[in-house]
Short mmCIF file of all heavy atoms in Angstrom, two decimals:
data_model
loop_
_atom_site.label_atom_id
_atom_site.label_comp_id
_atom_site.label_asym_id
_atom_site.label_seq_id
_atom_site.Cartn_x
_atom_site.Cartn_y
_atom_site.Cartn_z
N ILE R 1049 173.74 116.52 73.01
CA ILE R 1049 174.33 116.57 74.24
C ILE R 1049 173.39 116.39 75.46
O ILE R 1049 173.57 115.70 76.42
CB ILE R 1049 175.11 117.93 74.40
CG1 ILE R 1049 176.35 117.86 73.40
CG2 ILE R 1049 175.69 118.21 75.75
CD1 ILE R 1049 177.01 119.29 73.13
N PHE R 1050 172.15 117.15 75.29
CA PHE R 1050 171.12 117.05 76.24
C PHE R 1050 170.67 115.63 76.48
O PHE R 1050 170.43 115.19 77.51
CB PHE R 1050 170.04 118.07 75.87
CG PHE R 1050 168.90 118.06 76.94
CD1 PHE R 1050 168.98 118.70 78.12
CD2 PHE R 1050 167.69 117.49 76.54
CE1 PHE R 1050 168.01 118.79 78.96
CE2 PHE R 1050 166.54 117.44 77.50
CZ PHE R 1050 166.76 118.12 78.73
N GLY R 1051 170.47 114.91 75.29
CA GLY R 1051 169.92 113.62 75.26
C GLY R 1051 170.98 112.59 75.97
O GLY R 1051 170.54 111.78 76.76
N ASN R 1052 172.15 112.91 75.72
CA ASN R 1052 173.22 112.01 76.48
C ASN R 1052 173.15 112.24 78.00
O ASN R 1052 173.38 111.32 78.68
CB ASN R 1052 174.70 112.35 76.09
CG ASN R 1052 174.83 111.85 74.60
OD1 ASN R 1052 174.19 110.98 74.09
ND2 ASN R 1052 175.89 112.44 73.93
N VAL R 1053 172.87 113.44 78.47
CA VAL R 1053 172.81 113.61 79.89
C VAL R 1053 171.52 112.96 80.53
O VAL R 1053 171.50 112.36 81.54
CB VAL R 1053 172.81 115.18 80.18
CG1 VAL R 1053 172.32 115.36 81.67
CG2 VAL R 1053 174.14 115.71 79.99
N THR R 1054 170.39 113.17 79.73
CA THR R 1054 169.13 112.70 80.26
C THR R 1054 168.98 111.13 80.16
O THR R 1054 168.11 110.53 80.81
CB THR R 1054 167.94 113.38 79.58
OG1 THR R 1054 168.06 113.15 78.13
CG2 THR R 1054 167.82 114.74 79.86
N LYS R 1055 169.90 110.41 79.38
CA LYS R 1055 169.89 109.00 79.21
C LYS R 1055 170.49 108.34 80.58
O LYS R 1055 170.17 107.25 80.86
CB LYS R 1055 170.79 108.56 78.11
CG LYS R 1055 170.11 108.28 76.74
CD LYS R 1055 171.16 107.71 75.83
CE LYS R 1055 171.01 108.36 74.45
NZ LYS R 1055 172.17 108.64 73.73
N LYS R 1056 171.20 109.13 81.27
CA LYS R 1056 171.81 108.57 82.50
C LYS R 1056 170.71 108.17 83.51
O LYS R 1056 169.72 108.94 83.63
CB LYS R 1056 172.79 109.57 83.13
CG LYS R 1056 173.86 109.84 82.34
CD LYS R 1056 174.87 110.89 82.78
CE LYS R 1056 176.03 111.14 81.92
NZ LYS R 1056 176.81 112.26 82.18
N LYS R 1057 170.95 107.12 84.13
CA LYS R 1057 169.75 106.56 84.97
C LYS R 1057 169.38 107.25 86.20
O LYS R 1057 168.29 107.26 86.68
CB LYS R 1057 170.08 104.94 85.34
CG LYS R 1057 171.19 104.81 86.21
CD LYS R 1057 171.27 103.32 86.62
CE LYS R 1057 172.21 103.02 87.67
NZ LYS R 1057 173.72 103.14 87.37
N LEU R 1058 170.27 108.19 86.71
CA LEU R 1058 169.85 109.00 87.85
C LEU R 1058 169.34 110.34 87.41
O LEU R 1058 169.01 111.11 88.32
CB LEU R 1058 171.25 109.27 88.69
CG LEU R 1058 171.73 108.08 89.49
CD1 LEU R 1058 172.97 108.43 90.27
CD2 LEU R 1058 170.71 107.39 90.31
N ILE R 1059 169.19 110.64 86.16
CA ILE R 1059 168.56 111.89 85.68
C ILE R 1059 166.95 111.52 85.37
O ILE R 1059 166.72 110.82 84.56
CB ILE R 1059 169.17 112.47 84.53
CG1 ILE R 1059 170.67 112.75 84.80
CG2 ILE R 1059 168.51 113.81 84.11
CD1 ILE R 1059 171.08 113.76 85.89
N HIS R 1060 166.19 112.03 86.25
CA HIS R 1060 164.71 111.80 86.32
C HIS R 1060 163.96 112.84 85.48
O HIS R 1060 162.88 112.59 84.88
CB HIS R 1060 164.15 111.61 87.67
CG HIS R 1060 164.97 110.71 88.50
ND1 HIS R 1060 164.79 109.28 88.30
CD2 HIS R 1060 165.94 110.77 89.51
CE1 HIS R 1060 165.57 108.66 89.23
NE2 HIS R 1060 166.33 109.59 89.76
N GLU R 1061 164.49 114.04 85.58
CA GLU R 1061 163.83 115.20 84.80
C GLU R 1061 164.86 116.22 84.45
O GLU R 1061 165.89 116.33 85.20
CB GLU R 1061 162.68 115.79 85.54
CG GLU R 1061 163.16 116.29 87.05
CD GLU R 1061 161.98 116.96 87.76
OE1 GLU R 1061 160.92 116.48 87.75
OE2 GLU R 1061 162.37 118.00 88.37
N SER R 1062 164.65 117.07 83.43
CA SER R 1062 165.66 117.98 83.14
C SER R 1062 165.08 119.05 82.12
O SER R 1062 164.02 118.73 81.43
CB SER R 1062 166.79 117.30 82.47
OG SER R 1062 167.90 118.07 82.22
N VAL R 1063 165.71 120.22 82.09
CA VAL R 1063 165.28 121.21 81.21
C VAL R 1063 166.55 121.93 80.73
O VAL R 1063 167.51 122.11 81.35
CB VAL R 1063 164.25 122.19 81.75
CG1 VAL R 1063 164.78 122.91 82.90
CG2 VAL R 1063 163.66 123.06 80.75
N LEU R 1064 166.49 122.46 79.49
CA LEU R 1064 167.67 123.25 78.89
C LEU R 1064 167.07 124.38 77.98
O LEU R 1064 166.22 124.12 77.20
CB LEU R 1064 168.59 122.44 78.14
CG LEU R 1064 169.78 123.21 77.42
CD1 LEU R 1064 170.75 123.69 78.52
CD2 LEU R 1064 170.53 122.15 76.56
N LEU R 1065 167.51 125.65 78.20
CA LEU R 1065 167.12 126.71 77.42
C LEU R 1065 168.31 127.41 76.88
O LEU R 1065 169.32 127.78 77.69
CB LEU R 1065 166.20 127.62 78.22
CG LEU R 1065 165.66 129.01 77.54
CD1 LEU R 1065 164.83 128.63 76.24
CD2 LEU R 1065 164.89 129.80 78.47
N VAL R 1066 168.50 127.63 75.61
CA VAL R 1066 169.64 128.28 75.10
C VAL R 1066 169.22 129.41 74.19
O VAL R 1066 168.42 129.28 73.31
CB VAL R 1066 170.46 127.32 74.20
CG1 VAL R 1066 171.80 127.92 73.73
CG2 VAL R 1066 170.81 126.01 74.96
N GLU R 1067 169.83 130.60 74.40
CA GLU R 1067 169.42 131.80 73.64
C GLU R 1067 170.60 132.74 73.51
O GLU R 1067 171.55 132.79 74.26
CB GLU R 1067 168.40 132.66 74.41
CG GLU R 1067 166.96 132.05 74.22
CD GLU R 1067 165.84 133.01 74.80
OE1 GLU R 1067 166.17 134.15 75.24
OE2 GLU R 1067 164.70 132.52 74.97
N ASN R 1068 170.57 133.47 72.35
CA ASN R 1068 171.58 134.64 72.28
C ASN R 1068 170.99 135.88 72.90
O ASN R 1068 169.80 135.85 73.29
CB ASN R 1068 171.97 134.77 70.76
CG ASN R 1068 170.77 135.22 69.97
OD1 ASN R 1068 169.54 135.40 70.34
ND2 ASN R 1068 171.09 135.65 68.65
N SER R 1069 171.75 136.97 72.91
CA SER R 1069 171.23 138.16 73.66
C SER R 1069 169.90 138.70 73.27
O SER R 1069 169.18 138.99 74.07
CB SER R 1069 172.33 139.28 73.39
OG SER R 1069 173.53 139.07 74.21
N ASN R 1070 169.66 138.91 71.92
CA ASN R 1070 168.41 139.39 71.62
C ASN R 1070 167.27 138.43 71.44
O ASN R 1070 166.15 138.72 71.10
CB ASN R 1070 168.54 140.30 70.30
CG ASN R 1070 169.00 139.52 69.17
OD1 ASN R 1070 168.93 138.27 69.22
ND2 ASN R 1070 169.59 140.19 68.09
N GLY R 1071 167.66 137.16 71.57
CA GLY R 1071 166.47 136.16 71.64
C GLY R 1071 166.04 135.61 70.35
O GLY R 1071 165.10 134.82 70.15
N ASP R 1072 166.73 136.08 69.29
CA ASP R 1072 166.28 135.57 67.92
C ASP R 1072 166.81 134.09 67.59
O ASP R 1072 166.29 133.42 66.72
CB ASP R 1072 166.58 136.48 66.76
CG ASP R 1072 168.05 136.92 66.65
OD1 ASP R 1072 168.79 136.26 67.31
OD2 ASP R 1072 168.43 137.70 65.86
N VAL R 1073 167.79 133.69 68.45
CA VAL R 1073 168.09 132.31 68.48
C VAL R 1073 167.61 131.83 69.76
O VAL R 1073 168.09 132.28 70.84
CB VAL R 1073 169.61 132.14 68.28
CG1 VAL R 1073 170.06 130.66 68.50
CG2 VAL R 1073 170.12 132.65 66.93
#
């Protein structure tokens, strides 16, 4: 999903961080 967004020609840079509450994921 992140890759599909960053493929778009107007997206020059991007970051995504996903975690659960206690951070073990």
Side-chain angles (χ1 to χ4, degrees):
I1049 292 165
F1050 182 73
N1052 288 340
V1053 169
T1054 55
K1055 262 188 223 142
K1056 293 176 180 165
K1057 64 176 193 293
L1058 289 181
I1059 304 300
H1060 307 281
E1061 54 174 43
S1062 191
V1063 66
L1064 177 66
L1065 178 60
V1066 183
E1067 281 186 10
N1068 64 353
S1069 283
N1070 58 18
D1072 58 6
V1073 174

